Every structure is written in C-alpha cells, then in structure tokens.
Amino acid sequence: MTLLNIVLATLMGGLLSVFAAMLLLAGFPQRWMPRLVGFATGVLLAVALLDVLPEAFESGVEPHKLFATLLIGLLSFYGLERIALWRHSHPDEEGHDHHCPTHDHHHHHHHGHGVGHNTVVSVMIGDSFHNFVDGVLLAAAFLVSPALGWSTAFAVIAHEIPQEAGDFAILRASGMSNARALLFNAVSSLAAVLGGVIAYFALSQTQAMLPYILTVAAASFLYIAISDLLPMLRREGHRATSMWQTGYMVAGVVMIAVVSLSHGH
C-alpha cells in the first residue's frame, strides 16, 4: 500500500505539471500564476516547519544532528543550483521565465528568444534531477506515515506546477512545438516515480535514515521558498497583485496548519 501511494503521488505530480503547461498555453498565468506562486510559498513553509521537521525531531534523533543535516541540506541545494541541477522556473504574465539555469555571455536569458540547445539540455537535466530527488523525499515521508506523505506530496505539487509551467515556456522559446514541449515535460516528470520506487526499497531496509531524509526534505522546501519564491513576491510592484499573493500565501499556511493540527502535530 505504501509503494502504491508513492507511485500515485509521484505520478500525480507529473500529470499536474503537464496540466500546468497546458494552462500556460491557454493563457492561464496572466492572472493566476502570481497568486499560485504565493500559495506555493505558504504551503512549502508550512509543510517544512509544521509537518516534516516536527516528525523528524519526534524520532528521537539528537537535535544537533538534525540541525546539522538541515544546514548541510540548505548549502547543498545552493551548490546544486549553482551548477544548474536545482532550478525553479516561474513564468510571468507573458509566459517568460524568471529564473534562468544559466546566464551565458551572449545574453540568452530565456525571455522568449535566444534559447539554445545547451539551455534546453540544462533545463531537462536539472528538472529530471529535481524530480528524482522529490521522489526520494516523497518515499521517505510515506514510509513514516500516509498523512505525512500526502502533505509532503501536496507541497511538492504546489511548487512543481509553476516550475513546470516555466520550463514549458523555456522549451517553447527554444522553438519546440507545443506537443513536443509537453512530451519533454512529461518524460522529465517520470524521474520522480523512479526516485520514489528506488527510495522505497532502499529506505525500507534503513529506517534509521528516515529522520535525516525528512530533514533534507524540509531543507529543500525551505530553500525553494526562501531563496526563490519569497524574493519573487517581494519584487511584485503592483499593490493589488501583491495583496493577492500575500493572501494566497497566508491561505497556504493556514490550510497546512489546519491539516497538521487535525493529525495531532
């Protein structure tokens, strides 16, 4: 049953990411994408601090070890982002990507033109690696409890939707057809399923590793929210849009808090 939940959760994330790309094609981000980014920010922060980290610390592992793991995780994700293996793309109202995996000296910055083959490869490798790690983190959460697994899955899906929509914008800017870009998005999302299945069999034999993997999961959520999403929200100059983003961020926190309290955390 646990393995089934892991496969379902990872597949759901992939399907929703493709759905998000289709919505981008239909013009959906023009109004809702900034609000969705705000909601994803609240969900990531709340799941990390109200669900995942408390579960890790309740395991009985010495707090100093888990805090050290959290620090190492944050620094590792920064390092991975520097080499374009951990990236988060979020399109603006025109479908342009706000977070480029590479900034080459020819100023090919993914703003609807000049996106070359190397950039596409970088996007696909980075996105696949990111999805694989998400699958591992999801498996660890489900091995602790189904409730933690699904709350973690919700956090992953919340940040995958705007990210995959941004990736779709980059692929389209490279000259790909809509169908080909959607196919590339779907294929890269399958890496999460692979990561989840491999982690399920590996971690089932090493339960002592679960608190550390959960702490790494929290580090990934905190890193994405603090280094990427919150700065995006702060850059919003339009007062009404900013208020909507803040409202959706609070809604994300409240929703996770209510669910967390209902499960006794």
Side-chain angles (χ1 to χ4, degrees), residues 215-259:
T215 304
V216 172
S220 76
F221 294 161
L222 290 173
Y223 184 81
I224 292 170
I226 294 171
S227 76
D228 184 44
L229 302 186
L230 281 175
M232 282 185 62
L233 299 183
R234 291 180 60 189
R235 287 196 299 268
E236 177 55 58
H238 191 267
R239 182 179 296 273
T241 302
S242 179
M243 290 178 65
W244 275 111
Q245 287 178 327
T246 302
Y248 272 78
M249 179 171 63
V250 172
V253 171
V254 170
M255 186 188 72
I256 297 301
V258 169
V259 173

Side-chain angles (χ1 to χ4, degrees), residues 37-56:
V37 171
F39 182 73
T41 304
V43 168
L44 288 172
L45 290 172
V47 169
L49 298 173
L50 300 180
D51 272 344
V52 180
L53 277 179
E55 194 71 50

Side-chain angles (χ1 to χ4, degrees), residues 57-240:
F57 278 90
E58 288 170 6
S59 66
V61 174
E62 185 181 348
H64 284 84
K65 293 182 179 180
L66 294 182
F67 274 117
T69 302
L70 183 65
L71 176 60
I72 292 171
L74 291 170
L75 294 175
S76 298
F77 290 124
Y78 171 77
L80 289 171
E81 188 173 42
R82 291 295 83 193
I83 60 174
L85 284 178
W86 197 260
R87 55 180 305 282
H88 325 292
S89 304
H90 302 284
D92 60 17
E93 57 275 0
E94 295 178 356
H96 297 156
D97 180 38
H98 274 296
H99 196 152
C100 309
T102 56
H103 293 263
D104 62 45
H105 297 296
H106 300 289
H107 303 291
H108 292 170
H109 286 319
H110 314 325
H111 293 293
H113 61 277
V115 178
H117 174 74
N118 289 341
T119 294
V120 172
V121 172
S122 175
V123 168
M124 294 305 300
I125 292 175
D127 196 30
S128 297
F129 179 81
H130 190 154
N131 289 332
F132 182 88
V133 173
D134 281 342
V136 172
L137 303 180
L138 275 173
F142 273 109
L143 284 168
V144 172
S145 73
L148 182 65
W150 284 111
S151 66
T152 303
F154 189 75
V156 169
I157 292 169
H159 83 262
E160 279 294 317
I161 291 177
Q163 176 191 320
E164 295 296 345
D167 287 343
F168 178 77
I170 295 173
L171 296 177
R172 286 289 292 118
S174 73
M176 284 190 186
S177 66
N178 291 331
R180 187 173 176 82
L182 286 171
L183 177 63
F184 270 57
N185 262 18
V187 170
S188 70
S189 70
L190 293 178
V193 181
L194 180 63
V197 172
I198 291 175
Y200 169 77
F201 289 106
L203 295 174
S204 294
Q205 309 302 318
T206 55
Q207 294 286 318
M209 289 297 298
L210 289 180
Y212 297 98
I213 302 298
L214 290 180
T215 304
V216 172
S220 76
F221 294 161
L222 290 173
Y223 184 81
I224 292 170
I226 294 171
S227 76
D228 184 44
L229 302 186
L230 281 175
M232 282 185 62
L233 299 183
R234 291 180 60 189
R235 287 196 299 268
E236 177 55 58
H238 191 267
R239 182 179 296 273

